[in-house]
Amino acid sequence: QVQLVESGGGLVQPGGSLRLSCAASGSIRSIYTMGWYRQAPGQPRELVATIFTSGSTTYADSAKGRFTISRDNAKKTVYLQMNSLKSEDTAVYYCKMTIRTSAVGAYDYWGQGTQVTVSS
């Protein structure tokens, strides 16, 4: 069984910063791609940032220059540093990891979500 637990969300003023964390636990052999998604009310879930096992990253246009994704493989954790936050960043943020738990294959696992609210 694999669990992803997120933390770091909250209320922040426009222009402020937050750092999200997502830690995986359980019977894990390998973790491949890690990513952050978000979903605002009434909107579909969208990809924010991805980090691959090589360390290379991709970002949504809305996140470029403001957000930084990073990973600590030893801690099985992915981070999202969010700076210069805007009201339109308000959403529930989810982490996703592609994880191998056995020799059979690798599957995607999701965190429970953490609320980020940007408001004055």
Side-chain angles (χ1 to χ4, degrees):
Q1 189 76 358
V2 172
Q3 266 196 320
L4 272 58
V5 178
E6 299 155 358
S7 60
L11 174 64
V12 63
Q13 291 187 341
S17 298
L18 281 176
R19 189 191 194 210
L20 305 183
S21 300
C22 173
S25 62
S27 180
I28 296 171
R29 282 195 176 191
S30 303
I31 302 178
Y32 301 110
T33 305
M34 297 178 172
W36 287 96
Y37 291 71
R38 67 186 183 187
Q39 188 168 21
Q43 299 296 317
R45 191 172 297 188
E46 64 175 1
L47 176 64
V48 175
T50 303
I51 185 165
F52 301 93
T53 52
S54 64
S56 63
T57 58
T58 63
Y59 294 92
D61 287 344
S62 59
K64 288 178 182 176
R66 300 188 300 126
F67 294 2
T68 302
I69 188 171
S70 60
R71 62 191 288 167
D72 184 329
N73 293 324
K75 294 183 178 179
K76 300 182 180 66
T77 298
V78 62
Y79 304 96
L80 186 67
Q81 177 67 43
M82 303 186 293
N83 299 327
S84 303
L85 283 162
K86 307 174 182 179
S87 58
E88 50 262 45
D89 295 318
T90 296
V92 178
Y93 284 69
Y94 300 89
C95 64
K96 187 181 82 169
M97 298 186 188
T98 302
I99 296 174
R100 177 180 296 276
T101 60
S102 69
V104 175
Y107 301 93
D108 289 340
Y109 294 85
W110 289 87
Q112 81 284 359
T114 185
Q115 177 70 47
V116 171
T117 302
V118 184
S119 175
S120 56

